[in-house]
Amino acid sequence: YPARESLGGAPLNFSVHANRFGSIIGKSAAPVSRVGNDSRGEQLRSELAALGISDGLIQTDAGHPTGTVSVDLEHLNEAQYVIERGAAWDFLEMTSDLEAAARRCEAVCFGTLAQRSANSQETIEAFLASAKAAVKMFEVNLRQDFYDYSVLRRGCALSKVLKLNRAELDVLVEMLNIPGGSIEEQIARVFDKFPLEFVLLTQGSKGTLVATPGGIHTGENACYDPASGADSVGAGDAAAAA
């Protein structure tokens, strides 16, 4: 942020919220990522420990820095992000620890952004291949130009749950040549094309909907008071975790 730094990133946000929900039923969640051998990496591990979340699946990279993102909250009430290239998480490696985690995990959430590099894309694909028993959620987090047709199609094909926002739905149906005018029609065609069981669509102030092949379900809108210092960053990750 312009005046401060905050722990964040979609996988980490998702893990924090999923861990809180999971603790109710005796389950835990942890992020898979890679940080630099630097002060930000040390701070990240320290803050995770304070939250009671394992950093055992977070790798350390001696040659690349911990990833950073600049956040702009002044654009049409929706956060804008500038994501630095060449971050440690672009060099995620498949290790024996990740292999073991993949085999035992019950659910995994993966996104488009981490697949902007060949290294991390290969690692994510290997993890998903080993996570044979896991429910897989694909998060369509479209940032800058860090996505393409192949990543979108492959993610939808590998998953049971698709999570995206309204703007990302527009991009996805265009890039994958999915017909249909209304949101309901677009989502129906997505179900026709891929073996999905759920689509989670976040719509900002218009609320969140969960779609299945049998229909669309909505709930009471969540809201926040900007005067309290809150903002919308990470809201979609919290919805995905829930």
Side-chain angles (χ1 to χ4, degrees):
Y1 294 88
R4 63 184 175 90
E5 289 192 355
S6 177
L7 190 66
L12 194 146
N13 293 339
F14 178 91
S15 299
V16 169
H17 293 294
N19 197 62
R20 288 170 175 163
F21 292 127
S23 65
I24 299 171
I25 56 173
K27 304 292 183 181
S28 63
V32 175
S33 193
R34 189 174 175 102
V35 298
N37 185 21
D38 51 31
S39 60
R40 286 189 174 116
E42 293 175 1
Q43 180 181 352
L44 181 144
R45 293 184 187 277
S46 176
E47 292 192 33
L48 281 183
L51 291 167
I53 296 176
S54 171
D55 67 348
L57 299 178
I58 296 181
Q59 303 168 4
T60 298
D61 190 311
H64 301 91
T66 299
T68 57
V69 179
S70 299
V71 182
D72 177 7
L73 297 174
E74 303 300 323
H75 184 76
L76 299 177
N77 298 318
E78 183 172 343
Q80 300 293 301
Y81 306 95
V82 176
I83 303 165
E84 297 301 328
R85 298 175 184 267
W89 54 262
D90 284 314
F91 300 90
L92 192 65
E93 297 177 353
M94 192 62 182
T95 63
S96 57
D97 287 342
L98 283 192
E99 177 70 31
R103 289 197 302 267
R104 70 175 181 266
C105 74
E106 297 179 58
V108 56
C109 178
F110 68 102
T112 53
L113 179 57
Q115 298 184 67
R116 70 179 182 177
S117 73
N119 300 70
S120 293
Q121 183 178 31
E122 290 175 5
T123 299
I124 289 170
E125 292 250 351
F127 189 100
L128 295 173
S130 295
K132 299 184 187 303
V135 174
K136 299 176 178 68
M137 173 186 282
F138 178 43
E139 180 178 6
V140 182
N141 48 348
L142 304 184
R143 300 287 184 261
Q144 294 162 227
D145 59 347
F146 301 138
Y147 60 92
D148 58 25
Y149 168 86
S150 176
V151 168
L152 292 177
R153 181 194 59 77
R154 182 75 171 149
C156 291
L158 289 172
S159 304
K160 293 297 183 184
V161 186
L162 174 66
K163 182 267 175 183
L164 68 178
N165 63 29
R166 186 68 184 87
E168 289 162 347
L169 177 63
D170 288 341
V171 173
L172 183 134
V173 297
E174 180 178 356
M175 289 193 74
L176 301 186
N177 195 28
I178 296 173
S182 68
I183 291 176
E184 292 78 10
E185 290 170 334
Q186 290 175 340
I187 292 176
R189 300 293 79 77
V190 170
F191 281 124
D192 289 341
K193 193 175 183 71
F194 298 104
L196 295 161
E197 295 180 4
F198 298 92
V199 172
L200 171 66
L201 183 71
T202 58
Q203 304 178 98
S205 61
K206 295 182 179 179
T208 299
L209 64 83
V210 177
T212 69
I216 291 179
H217 313 272
T218 59
E220 182 179 348
N221 288 5
C223 61
Y224 67 93
D225 179 10
S228 70
D231 59 61
S232 62
V233 176
D237 305 325

